[in-house]
Amino acid sequence: MSEDKIAKFREIVDGSHSIVFFGGAGVSVPSGIPDFRSSKGIYSEKTGYTYAPEEMISHEFFEIHPDMFFNFYFSKMVYPDALPNAAHLVLAKWEKQGILKAVVTQNIDGLHQMAGSKNVLELHGSVHRNYCQKCHRFFPLEEIDKTGIPKCPCGGIIKPDVVLYGEALDQSVLEQSIRSIASADTLIVGGTSLVVYPAAGLIRYFRGKHLVVVNLGNQSGSFFGPYDCLTIHDDIAKVFMAVDKYNTH
Ligand code: ZN
């Protein structure tokens, strides 16, 4: 990891008053949560077909094959024992210090809140919120059966409050995310390639001074804007730990 880049990142953070963090799957990887898109999917003997991850977590698949949906969901997307890593913890600390205004995340694991962050905008929902499709009763993750199709005492299927492919994003969360990004002086993008929706679209609203991109891969896309861009290709937990510890004096 380049010391110069960490120093520069520290300098940007120290000079900022309204940081917004935008995060993707890579933020949770150091917490032991792999990107579900990297999974091979699941083979069905019933249909003789291997379903791709993106196909399995679509609204249509949930309706047609709820058994296979929940099998994939509980084995590849829900990690009840995962803990926040340095990135989550440092972001929560910056919010407490008043310099970070919001975390916008594509992750559904709730690790930012577990780390202490308060203003977390979950674009894709959360595994921690679950509702009966019939009576709308709420169930925390701990209370639902993870070995099959989770059912409410009323007989309805309990659906996770997670945005599936083919479903619309929560409009209010999306609007709050846009407002936060539009009023940020520094935008930190972490653990996402930025080339896919909605990341690519949201970044267009940024009008601040500094864009910092922290991503392990090097296919972050390119940015053209009225801001300067610092790119760090490394493990996000390591980068945040280094920035937190970096001594400016
Ligand atoms: Zn019910």
Side-chain angles (χ1 to χ4, degrees):
M1 200 180 325
S2 144
E3 173 95 4
D4 286 358
K5 289 200 172 186
I6 296 301
K8 176 72 183 155
F9 191 0
R10 182 75 247 177
E11 190 189 314
I12 291 170
V13 169
D14 288 341
S16 301
H17 305 285
S18 52
I19 301 170
V20 168
F21 178 80
F22 181 93
V27 177
S28 297
V29 169
S31 290
I33 303 181
D35 185 348
F36 73 88
R37 280 163 292 230
S38 64
S39 132
K40 285 190 180 72
I42 287 179
Y43 173 76
S44 162
E45 285 190 2
K46 205 162 65 185
T47 60
Y49 183 77
T50 300
Y51 295 94
E54 287 88 347
E55 194 175 352
M56 300 197 84
I57 60 148
S58 68
H59 180 82
E60 198 188 354
F61 197 88
F62 169 82
E63 295 290 340
I64 301 170
H65 307 287
D67 51 337
M68 287 169 66
F69 169 86
F70 281 109
N71 177 11
F72 181 79
Y73 176 74
F74 287 126
S75 61
K76 304 287 184 197
M77 299 181 72
V78 179
Y79 295 81
D81 300 326
L83 293 172
N85 61 60
H88 299 104
L89 295 168
V90 172
L91 289 165
K93 181 175 161 181
W94 290 348
E95 185 185 35
K96 219 173 189 176
Q97 290 170 349
I99 55 170
L100 183 134
K101 301 303 177 194
V103 168
V104 181
T105 182
Q106 301 178 82
N107 298 337
I108 56 174
D109 49 47
L111 291 182
H112 285 291
Q113 290 92 332
M114 202 189 284
S117 285
K118 303 282 181 241
N119 191 21
V120 182
L121 299 163
E122 296 172 309
L123 288 170
H124 293 163
S126 173
V127 299
H128 296 286
R129 295 187 298 269
N130 305 274
Y131 296 93
C132 169
Q133 286 193 297
K134 231 181 188 172
C135 72
H136 307 291
R137 183 174 152 187
F138 169 80
F139 293 87
L141 182 61
E142 303 79 60
E143 278 177 30
I144 58 175
D145 173 26
K146 298 171 195 67
T147 57
I149 301 174
K151 291 267 179 70
C152 173
C154 86
I157 292 180
I158 301 171
K159 187 175 184 287
D161 186 14
V162 161
V163 181
L164 305 178
Y165 283 97
E167 293 178 345
L169 298 182
D170 182 309
Q171 204 54 34
S172 146
V173 175
L174 185 60
E175 281 167 15
Q176 288 176 68
S177 303
I178 290 171
R179 269 202 301 277
S180 300
I181 290 170
S183 59
D185 57 4
T186 293
L187 178 63
I188 304 170
V189 177
T192 174
S193 76
L194 264 189
V195 289
V196 287
Y197 176 84
L202 282 172
I203 197 159
R204 286 187 294 122
Y205 294 95
F206 180 56
R207 291 287 175 270
K209 267 194 203 154
H210 301 283
L211 173 69
V212 181
V213 179
V214 185
N215 193 27
L216 197 50
N218 56 0
Q219 357 131 308
S220 302
S222 32
F223 321 101
F224 302 99
Y227 38 77
D228 71 65
C229 179
L230 171 68
T231 309
I232 306 175
H233 294 304
D234 210 327
D235 177 285
I236 191 158
K238 281 188 203 157
V239 171
F240 272 80
M241 199 182 287
V243 169
D244 187 46
K245 286 184 180 152
Y246 191 84
N247 196 347
T248 39
H249 304 292

